[in-house]
Amino acid sequence: MDRAKTASAVNLASWLPLRALSGWSVKDLNGDLAAGITLAAIAIPEQMATARLGGFAPEIGFFAFVAGSLAFALFGANRHLSAGADSTITPLFAGGLALIATSGSPHYLALAAMLALMVGLLVTLSGVFRLGWIADLLSVPVTTGFLAGISVHIIVSQLPGLLGLPTEGGETVRRIGEIATNLHLTNPWSLALGLGVFGIVFVSEHISARIPAALIGMVLATLAVIAFDLKNRGVEVLGALPNGLPAPGMPTVDFQDAQALVPLALLIAIVVMVQTAATSRSFAPRDSDAPDVNRDFVGVGAGSILSGLFGAFAVNASPPRTAIVAQTGGRSQFSGLIAAAIVLALGAFGGGLLANVPQAALAGVLMFVAQHILRWQVFAKVWRQAKGEFALILITMIAIVVLPIETGVAIGIGLSLLHGIWGSTRTEPIELAQVPGTSVWWPPGDFSAGEQDPGVLVAAFQAPLSFVNADRFKRGLSDLIDASEDLKLVVLEASNIVEIDYTAAQALIDTIRHCRDKGAVFAIARMESLRAQAALKRFGIAEIVGTERIFHSVDAAIKSLGPGKPQQQKQDGVP
């Protein structure tokens, strides 16, 4: 009873707020202060640029960052994770919302806030109900293709700002054509500012990730605008931002619009969970405990909910910002709260300081982000080692670039799932042979000659048994049985069968019947999975086979039931 109470108390403690601040002491202040200031310096230009990428005023990005940081500090578990506006998901919802409302309009802003609430609710519930496995729905090749497609979207959307051209809307391919047509109108001052900021960030990253290069570049670009009066030379600037805080409230969206947002919310929620899980696992707790991905889902999901209530958009975990917190000595989420306070002060009271920030500078920041999320090393490695999976990268990338972006993401998720199922559908039962002088049964190959007992067939199936491969299992094992002469015993080596569903159970029963029709005994060995063992009982297979013919090893089965053994003739009937 005391043990149960203790376990219950531990479980309750894992869900209490401010877990990411537990154990904090004054000695951690220096590390958190340094990390918080650095994080703010990096987040200010990044959040402004990301908001602009989505068609929002720059200060909306500040409020999204504050909401993400505050909510994660309250409800998340990871001590370093930074949540806020993110360039991975911003093109997703911007593209989806642009199909319903005009970018930047009040209707567009209301839809974005409602979408943030929906995404936040989905991600939070996934954490509460411990659905962290959803984060594994996207394979590495599909994720790489997804990020490559997003990178192309970012580059195309920011080229007009970088070149000083009019902003274009519509499909990506059409926008590329418009940019190419207007290249002769490029403003050299805008291009110089944008490339200058890009160069500063690019070079600084190779020196130290702790350098707030984006902020330095933005400040220098702003000073250049003032010093050389570049506004009168065609350089577009942000203009003074409104001071003050947004009022909380529910976004005013009718039921039809909310219903239209559901598919987009599902797609974005999956992407958020994948990135949050990857970030959480990459920056494990300092006390060496396993990362609590589900609790981090709750923290990031709560950030989107709070962001939506203040009229901003969905937030996501940021691997680069999280790395900065870890590398600059952050000890807890207090560093995120310090950064949020600085960003909030700038957004609420410092709008005038940003009036002369050139749009090209923000475009330069996003250009760096775009090239940063292109995983060239993964491209090369997959091409060398798995050319079939390289096709997944290309198909996903092309789908996201050419098709509506949410359609491309849906195709990527579908490809990832099909790729995961593909291996199971192609699995065939194989005959095993005994490694000479050992009790090991192994697939015969070029490097090892195996031994087989006369009248005995040892077969294995190296995948879970499910509806996708049930027929292949039944036909394959039946063919092995039919091909064996004077067969007396069939042993199914089941160490790799971790699950059995209803369809597969019926196929297994049919195979047992076929084996017995041939006059052989059917036995099962090494079924180690508890789920598979439970399935044997649930579907009546254990009773059909007979518990005395379910063994811990293949050798034990052969010694007990091999040709000439007393129990070999004793069989139960199959209904």
Side-chain angles (χ1 to χ4, degrees):
M1 187 67 177
D2 291 340
R3 185 178 298 174
K5 287 182 178 179
T6 301
S8 176
V10 170
N11 186 53
L12 178 61
S14 68
W15 287 101
L16 291 175
L18 297 174
R19 179 179 166 190
L21 290 169
S22 62
W24 189 89
S25 63
V26 177
K27 66 181 182 181
D28 297 323
L29 180 59
N30 287 339
D32 280 337
L33 189 60
I37 293 172
T38 305
L39 177 60
I42 289 168
I44 288 168
E46 181 193 58
Q47 300 296 283
M48 292 171 62
T50 304
R52 182 178 176 276
L53 175 64
F56 301 91
E59 68 271 14
I60 302 296
F62 292 162
F63 299 139
F65 176 77
V66 172
S69 300
L70 178 59
F72 194 86
L74 286 172
F75 300 107
N78 193 290
R79 296 178 181 275
H80 298 138
L81 189 145
S82 175
D86 177 65
S87 55
T88 303
I89 62 170
T90 301
L92 285 183
F93 64 71
L97 294 177
L99 299 176
I100 307 174
T102 303
S103 181
S105 66
H107 188 205
Y108 181 91
L109 300 179
L111 287 174
M114 176 56 71
L115 183 65
L117 294 177
M118 296 168 70
V119 170
L121 185 61
L122 287 170
V123 176
T124 299
L125 290 177
S126 296
V128 170
F129 291 104
R130 301 193 177 278
L131 302 180
W133 54 268
I134 293 177
D136 300 320
L137 287 177
L138 294 179
S139 66
V140 171
V142 168
T143 302
T144 302
F146 163 75
L147 291 175
I150 293 295
S151 177
V152 172
H153 270 279
I154 294 173
I155 291 171
V156 172
S157 70
Q158 296 307 304
L159 273 175
L162 183 73
L163 301 174
L165 301 177
T167 302
E168 300 290 342
E171 298 175 354
T172 301
V173 176
R174 189 185 70 79
R175 293 166 76 178
I176 293 173
E178 293 289 340
I179 292 169
T181 302
N182 294 324
L183 272 178
H184 65 285
L185 301 176
T186 297
N187 185 312
W189 295 103
S190 293
L191 181 60
L193 291 173
L195 291 180
V197 171
F198 177 89
I200 290 171
V201 179
F202 186 83
V203 171
S204 296
E205 189 199 34
H206 289 80
I207 298 173
S208 173
R210 300 182 182 186
I211 300 173
L215 182 62
I216 293 171
M218 190 176 74
V219 170
L220 291 176
T222 303
L223 293 175
V225 168
I226 298 170
F228 299 104
D229 193 23
L230 297 183
K231 284 191 292 184
N232 290 325
R233 301 191 182 193
V235 173
E236 187 179 353
V237 296
L238 290 181
L241 304 182
N243 289 328
L245 298 174
M250 286 292 295
T252 54
V253 174
D254 60 36
F255 178 77
Q256 187 176 1
D257 281 343
Q259 193 175 24
L261 292 176
V262 171
L264 184 59
L266 288 170
L267 290 175
I268 294 174
I270 290 174
V271 175
V272 169
M273 286 186 276
V274 169
Q275 186 157 310
T276 299
T279 306
S280 181
R281 292 165 181 165
S282 299
F283 299 92
R286 64 183 180 184
D287 52 9
S288 299
D289 288 344
D292 191 344
V293 171
N294 291 301
R295 179 60 186 261
D296 290 339
F297 281 0
V298 175
V300 174
S304 281
I305 292 173
L306 186 60
S307 182
L309 290 175
F310 279 91
F313 45 83
V315 303
N316 195 8
S318 169
R321 291 200 309 272
T322 302
I324 290 299
V325 175
Q327 293 169 5
T328 52
R331 307 289 291 174
S332 72
Q333 280 297 322
F334 192 59
S335 58
L337 294 177
I338 292 171
I342 296 171
V343 172
L344 180 62
L346 181 62
F349 309 109
L353 298 175
L354 305 172
N356 291 307
V357 173
Q359 299 279 14
L362 299 183
V365 172
L366 285 172
M367 285 291 186
F368 172 79
V369 171
Q371 65 83 32
H372 197 269
I373 64 177
L374 276 172
R375 300 179 177 179
W376 294 114
Q377 292 181 339
V378 178
F379 266 80
K381 188 177 293 186
V382 174
W383 169 253
R384 289 195 307 267
Q385 300 175 357
K387 287 184 171 58
E389 293 187 57
F390 186 79
L392 295 177
I393 296 177
L394 295 181
I395 293 171
T396 304
M397 181 180 70
I398 293 170
I400 288 176
V401 171
V402 175
L403 301 174
I405 194 166
E406 66 274 13
T407 304
V409 174
I411 289 173
I413 292 173
L415 286 174
S416 188
L417 294 176
L418 289 174
H419 176 235
I421 294 171
W422 179 248
S424 294
T425 62
R426 291 171 54 83
T427 304
E428 295 272 7
I430 56 174
E431 185 174 2
L432 303 182
Q434 188 173 20
V435 178
T438 72
S439 61
V440 176
W441 289 78
W442 202 260
D446 297 334
F447 303 102
S448 61
E451 299 175 347
Q452 294 172 322
D453 292 351
V456 176
L457 169 65
V458 178
F461 192 70
Q462 297 176 313
L465 262 176
S466 69
F467 68 95
V468 299
N469 56 29
D471 186 64
R472 203 177 187 98
F473 166 82
K474 182 171 72 172
R475 286 188 288 107
L477 189 50
S478 296
D479 289 345
L480 289 176
I481 292 171
D482 292 340
S484 301
E485 298 181 1
D486 194 27
L487 189 62
K488 300 300 181 185
L489 174 64
V490 175
V491 180
L492 176 63
E493 202 275 356
S495 60
N496 289 299
I497 300 177
V498 297
E499 185 67 270
I500 303 174
D501 68 10
Y502 178 84
T503 305
Q506 307 316 303
L508 180 54
I509 291 172
D510 290 344
T511 305
I512 297 170
R513 181 184 292 114
H514 181 75
C515 175
R516 290 180 175 177
D517 287 345
K518 293 292 183 178
V521 172
F522 190 92
I524 298 175
R526 295 195 64 199
M527 182 164 280
E528 301 166 0
S529 166
L530 295 178
R531 296 202 308 273
Q533 292 175 24
L536 290 186
K537 296 178 182 178
R538 186 169 66 253
F539 296 121
I541 299 172
E543 183 179 353
I544 293 169
V545 174
T547 54
E548 71 277 7
R549 286 189 284 278
I550 299 177
F551 298 90
H552 291 108
S553 69
V554 174
D555 272 8
I558 294 174
K559 288 177 182 178
S560 178
L561 302 175
K565 301 297 180 182
Q567 294 187 42
Q568 200 274 327
Q569 302 296 328
K570 185 179 173 185
Q571 298 193 44
D572 296 332
V574 179

